[in-house]
Protein backbone atom coordinates (compact mmCIF):
# COMPACT_ATOMS: atom_id res chain seq x y z
CA UNK A 1 0.00 0.00 0.00
CA UNK A 2 1.10 3.56 -0.68
CA UNK A 3 1.08 6.58 1.61
CA UNK A 4 1.68 10.01 0.21
CA UNK A 5 4.32 10.14 -2.55
CA UNK A 6 6.40 12.31 -0.23
CA UNK A 7 6.45 9.64 2.47
CA UNK A 8 7.38 7.06 -0.15
CA UNK A 9 10.21 9.29 -1.34
CA UNK A 10 11.47 9.76 2.21
CA UNK A 11 11.47 6.00 2.79
CA UNK A 12 13.38 5.49 -0.48
CA UNK A 13 15.89 8.24 0.20
CA UNK A 14 16.64 7.02 3.72
CA UNK A 15 17.89 3.80 2.18
CA UNK A 16 21.01 5.51 0.85
CA UNK A 17 22.38 5.11 4.40
CA UNK A 18 24.63 2.12 4.94
CA UNK A 19 22.83 -0.70 6.74
CA UNK A 20 19.37 0.85 6.28
CA UNK A 21 16.97 -1.37 4.34
CA UNK A 22 13.28 -0.78 3.50
CA UNK A 23 12.01 -1.86 6.95
CA UNK A 24 14.40 0.34 8.93
CA UNK A 25 13.82 3.24 6.53
CA UNK A 26 10.07 2.94 7.10
CA UNK A 27 10.53 2.84 10.87
CA UNK A 28 12.77 5.93 10.81
CA UNK A 29 10.40 7.85 8.51
CA UNK A 30 7.37 7.15 10.72
CA UNK A 31 9.31 7.94 13.86
CA UNK A 32 10.41 11.30 12.50
CA UNK A 33 6.92 12.17 11.25
CA UNK A 34 5.28 11.19 14.53
CA UNK A 35 7.83 12.26 17.10
CA UNK A 36 10.57 14.55 15.87
CA UNK A 37 9.80 16.72 12.86
CA UNK A 38 11.91 19.53 14.26
CA UNK A 39 14.99 17.29 14.63
CA UNK A 40 14.43 15.88 11.17
CA UNK A 41 14.31 19.36 9.64
CA UNK A 42 17.49 20.27 11.46
CA UNK A 43 19.09 17.08 10.14
CA UNK A 44 18.01 18.06 6.63
CA UNK A 45 19.68 21.46 6.99
CA UNK A 46 22.85 19.92 8.44
CA UNK A 47 23.04 17.36 5.65
CA UNK A 48 22.63 20.08 3.06
CA UNK A 49 25.22 22.36 4.59
CA UNK A 50 27.74 19.58 5.23
CA UNK A 51 27.47 18.01 1.79
CA UNK A 52 27.83 21.42 0.12
CA UNK A 53 30.72 22.72 2.19
CA UNK A 54 32.89 19.86 3.39
CA UNK A 55 35.67 18.87 1.05
CA UNK A 56 39.16 17.56 1.61
CA UNK A 57 42.21 19.18 3.11
CA UNK A 58 44.45 20.05 0.12
CA UNK A 59 47.45 18.59 1.96
CA UNK A 60 46.35 15.39 3.72
CA UNK A 61 42.97 14.73 2.01
CA UNK A 62 41.18 14.32 5.33
CA UNK A 63 37.84 16.10 5.63
CA UNK A 64 38.01 19.87 6.01
CA UNK A 65 35.98 22.90 5.03
CA UNK A 66 38.24 23.42 2.05
CA UNK A 67 41.14 24.96 3.96
CA UNK A 68 44.29 23.25 5.21
CA UNK A 69 43.11 21.21 8.24
CA UNK A 70 44.09 21.77 11.85
CA UNK A 71 46.53 18.84 11.93
CA UNK A 72 48.37 19.95 8.78
CA UNK A 73 48.54 23.54 10.07
CA UNK A 74 50.25 22.44 13.31
CA UNK A 75 53.90 23.46 13.06
CA UNK A 76 55.01 20.83 15.60
CA UNK A 77 53.44 18.10 13.53
CA UNK A 78 54.94 19.50 10.33
CA UNK A 79 58.36 19.33 11.95
CA UNK A 80 57.95 15.74 13.18
CA UNK A 81 59.17 14.38 9.84
CA UNK A 82 56.64 11.55 10.08
CA UNK A 83 53.60 11.00 7.88
CA UNK A 84 51.04 8.26 8.45
CA UNK A 85 49.05 6.87 5.52
CA UNK A 86 45.55 5.60 6.30
CA UNK A 87 42.62 4.41 4.23
CA UNK A 88 39.89 6.62 5.70
CA UNK A 89 39.29 9.74 7.81
CA UNK A 90 37.84 7.39 10.47
CA UNK A 91 41.33 5.89 10.81
CA UNK A 92 42.74 9.38 11.50
CA UNK A 93 40.24 9.75 14.34
CA UNK A 94 41.09 6.31 15.72
CA UNK A 95 44.81 7.13 15.83
CA UNK A 96 44.21 10.66 17.17
CA UNK A 97 42.16 9.23 20.04
CA UNK A 98 45.23 7.41 21.32
CA UNK A 99 46.97 10.77 21.79
CA UNK A 100 50.26 9.03 21.02
CA UNK A 101 50.93 10.17 17.48
CA UNK A 102 52.39 13.57 16.68
CA UNK A 103 53.05 13.39 12.96
CA UNK A 104 50.84 14.26 10.03
CA UNK A 105 48.54 12.06 7.94
CA UNK A 106 47.67 11.25 4.38
CA UNK A 107 44.20 9.83 3.69
CA UNK A 108 43.78 7.57 0.66
CA UNK A 109 39.97 7.27 0.79
CA UNK A 110 40.27 3.61 -0.17
CA UNK A 111 42.91 1.17 -1.32
CA UNK A 112 44.29 -0.01 -4.64
CA UNK A 113 41.61 -2.09 -6.34
CA UNK A 114 42.13 -2.42 -10.10
CA UNK A 115 38.87 -4.37 -10.52
CA UNK A 116 36.93 -1.37 -9.21
CA UNK A 117 39.01 1.05 -11.28
CA UNK A 118 40.82 2.40 -8.22
CA UNK A 119 44.45 3.05 -9.09
CA UNK A 120 47.19 5.33 -7.75
CA UNK A 121 45.56 8.47 -9.18
CA UNK A 122 42.25 7.83 -7.37
CA UNK A 123 44.11 7.47 -4.07
CA UNK A 124 45.95 10.75 -4.53
CA UNK A 125 49.35 9.08 -4.74
CA UNK A 126 50.63 11.81 -7.06
CA UNK A 127 49.96 14.31 -4.26
CA UNK A 128 51.65 11.99 -1.77
CA UNK A 129 54.68 11.74 -4.07
CA UNK A 130 54.86 15.53 -4.21
CA UNK A 131 54.75 15.67 -0.39
CA UNK A 132 57.58 13.13 -0.14
CA UNK A 133 59.56 14.97 -2.82
CA UNK A 134 59.46 18.05 -0.58
CA UNK A 135 62.10 16.36 1.57
CA UNK A 136 60.37 17.07 4.89
CA UNK A 137 59.75 13.45 5.82
CA UNK A 138 62.13 10.86 7.20
CA UNK A 139 59.51 8.19 7.88
CA UNK A 140 56.22 7.15 6.33
CA UNK A 141 54.02 4.87 8.45
CA UNK A 142 51.80 2.63 6.35
CA UNK A 143 48.68 2.17 8.42
CA UNK A 144 46.42 0.75 5.73
CA UNK A 145 44.20 -2.12 6.86
CA UNK A 146 45.78 -5.59 7.26
CA UNK A 147 43.85 -6.97 4.27
CA UNK A 148 45.17 -8.18 0.91
CA UNK A 149 44.26 -4.84 -0.67
CA UNK A 150 45.65 -2.86 2.27
CA UNK A 151 48.93 -4.80 2.07
CA UNK A 152 49.19 -4.31 -1.70
CA UNK A 153 48.61 -0.59 -1.28
CA UNK A 154 51.21 -0.41 1.51
CA UNK A 155 53.80 -2.18 -0.66
CA UNK A 156 53.13 0.14 -3.56
CA UNK A 157 53.64 3.21 -1.36
CA UNK A 158 56.72 1.65 0.27
CA UNK A 159 58.32 1.49 -3.20
CA UNK A 160 57.47 5.15 -3.78
CA UNK A 161 59.09 6.00 -0.44
CA UNK A 162 62.20 3.91 -1.12
CA UNK A 163 62.79 5.78 -4.38
CA UNK A 164 62.83 9.00 -2.34
CA UNK A 165 64.96 7.71 0.53
CA UNK A 166 62.11 7.89 3.03
CA UNK A 167 61.93 4.98 5.50
CA UNK A 168 58.64 3.11 5.15
CA UNK A 169 57.29 1.25 8.17
CA UNK A 170 54.18 -0.93 8.42
CA UNK A 171 51.94 -1.01 11.51
CA UNK A 172 52.35 -4.23 13.51
CA UNK A 173 49.67 -6.88 13.47
CA UNK A 174 48.95 -9.52 16.04
CA UNK A 175 46.98 -10.44 19.09
CA UNK A 176 44.64 -7.67 20.28
CA UNK A 177 45.19 -6.36 23.81
CA UNK A 178 43.00 -8.41 26.15
CA UNK A 179 42.58 -11.10 23.50
CA UNK A 180 42.97 -14.81 24.13
CA UNK A 181 45.36 -16.83 22.03
CA UNK A 182 43.03 -19.82 21.63
CA UNK A 183 40.33 -17.69 19.97
CA UNK A 184 42.68 -15.98 17.47
CA UNK A 185 42.88 -17.20 13.87
CA UNK A 186 45.99 -19.04 12.69
CA UNK A 187 47.28 -16.41 10.29
CA UNK A 188 47.18 -13.71 12.99
CA UNK A 189 49.04 -15.98 15.43
CA UNK A 190 51.60 -16.72 12.72
CA UNK A 191 52.17 -13.04 12.06
CA UNK A 192 52.48 -12.21 15.75
CA UNK A 193 55.08 -14.94 16.13
CA UNK A 194 56.99 -13.59 13.13
CA UNK A 195 56.76 -10.03 14.48
CA UNK A 196 57.72 -10.91 18.07
CA UNK A 197 59.88 -8.43 19.98
CA UNK A 198 62.26 -8.85 22.93
CA UNK A 199 60.87 -8.17 26.40
ZN1 LIG B 1 45.28 18.16 6.40
Amino acid sequence: MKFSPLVEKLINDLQIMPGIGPKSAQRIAFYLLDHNREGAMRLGDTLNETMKNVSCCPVCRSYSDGNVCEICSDVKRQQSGIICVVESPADVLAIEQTGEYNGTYFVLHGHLSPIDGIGPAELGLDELATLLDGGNYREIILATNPTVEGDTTAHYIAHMAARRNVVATRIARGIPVGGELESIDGSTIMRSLAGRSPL
Side-chain angles (χ1 to χ4, degrees):
M1 87 152 237
K2 296 249 184 242
F3 297 101
S4 97
L6 276 174
V7 175
E8 291 299 323
K9 185 171 186 308
L10 175 60
I11 293 172
N12 271 329
D13 286 356
L14 282 168
Q15 292 175 55
I16 66 164
M17 310 264 184
I20 302 294
K23 275 260 182 280
S24 308
Q26 189 178 304
R27 201 167 54 237
I28 294 169
F30 292 171
Y31 171 81
L32 294 175
L33 283 166
D34 286 342
H35 301 292
N36 202 348
R37 291 188 182 214
E38 206 175 296
M41 285 194 276
R42 207 166 47 236
L43 173 64
D45 290 344
T46 306
L47 281 172
N48 231 314
E49 205 180 340
T50 311
M51 296 307 135
K52 271 189 200 140
N53 296 315
V54 170
S55 57
C56 289
C57 165
V59 182
C60 71
R61 303 196 353 137
S62 195
Y63 294 135
S64 86
D65 53 10
N67 298 315
V68 176
C69 76
E70 212 172 292
I71 294 178
C72 290
S73 312
D74 185 328
V75 180
K76 263 201 185 134
R77 283 173 177 263
Q78 287 168 7
Q79 289 170 345
S80 70
I82 306 177
I83 186 165
C84 178
V85 178
V86 293
E87 291 189 22
S88 80
D91 302 332
V92 172
L93 282 186
I95 297 175
E96 281 302 291
Q97 273 158 10
T98 69
E100 292 290 318
Y101 177 68
N102 282 311
T104 57
Y105 294 93
F106 189 83
V107 182
L108 302 171
H109 293 275
H111 46 237
L112 289 176
S113 181
I115 303 171
D116 304 310
I118 299 172
E122 284 69 30
L123 301 180
L125 295 190
D126 293 344
E127 285 107 305
L128 180 61
T130 310
L131 281 180
L132 297 181
D133 283 336
N136 295 321
Y137 297 103
R138 56 186 161 83
E139 180 181 354
I140 181 165
I141 302 175
L142 301 166
T144 50
N145 292 327
T147 56
V148 174
E149 296 85 357
D151 282 343
T152 308
T153 309
H155 278 117
Y156 186 94
I157 299 172
H159 282 299
M160 284 173 50
R163 282 200 299 274
R164 295 167 172 84
N165 289 320
V166 176
V167 176
T169 53
R170 181 84 171 104
I171 46 165
R173 58 191 84 191
I175 316 296
V177 175
E180 288 181 4
L181 222 58
E182 65 174 15
S183 56
I184 308 286
D185 66 286
S187 83
T188 302
I189 292 183
M190 223 172 63
R191 284 179 188 277
S192 10
L193 279 174
R196 68 190 182 279
S197 54
L199 269 181

